[in-house]
Amino acid sequence: QVQLVESGGGLVQTGGSLSLSCAASGRAFSIFTMGWFRQAPGKEREFVALIGRRHGATFYADSVKGRFTISNDNAKNTVYLQMNVLQHGDTAVYYCAADVGGTYSLAANAMDYWGKGTRVTVSS
């Protein structure tokens, strides 16, 4: 089993920045990719960013490309999401997810473990 705990959400003004963290514990060595997804009120959960834990390959949703950066620290079993130039449309609950299946799938249903989420609110 893998446990994921997110931190770093909060309230920020449009154009501001926020950094999220996700710490993995348990069988963290089995994680192949870690990613961030988000869910806005009344909308489905959507992919934001993904990183391969071994080789550092990164993937981003078009809506955040150039503004968000995902990174990881394998020694700390932690993945980060640096969010810059935040927009009102970025308001959502952000979830950390981990895949132990060995693929670079960006689909939410491919993820094996989920955190409880952290709320990000961007005020206009």
Side-chain angles (χ1 to χ4, degrees), residues 17 20 22-23 30 46-47 58 70-71 74 86 101 111 116:
S17 298
L20 305 182
C22 174
S30 65
E46 64 174 4
F47 166 74
T58 57
I70 189 171
S71 61
N74 286 338
L86 282 160
M111 295 296 160
K116 293 183 178 180

Side-chain angles (χ1 to χ4, degrees), residues 23-77:
S25 60
R27 295 174 61 88
F29 64 88
S30 65
I31 296 173
F32 185 74
T33 61
M34 290 185 73
W36 291 94
F37 293 75
R38 66 187 182 186
Q39 187 166 16
K43 295 187 177 181
E44 293 187 355
R45 192 169 298 189
E46 64 174 4
F47 166 74
V48 175
L50 187 83
I51 187 166
R53 213 163 163 267
R54 297 173 190 173
H55 303 295
T58 57
F59 305 86
Y60 296 93
D62 288 343
S63 59
V64 307
K65 205 170 291 183
R67 300 188 297 122
F68 291 12
T69 302
I70 189 171
S71 61
N72 67 343
D73 184 336
N74 286 338
K76 296 181 179 179
N77 290 322

Side-chain angles (χ1 to χ4, degrees), residues 9 25 38 41 71 79-80 83 89 97 100 123:
S25 60
R38 66 187 182 186
S71 61
V79 66
Y80 306 94
M83 305 183 292
V100 300
S123 64

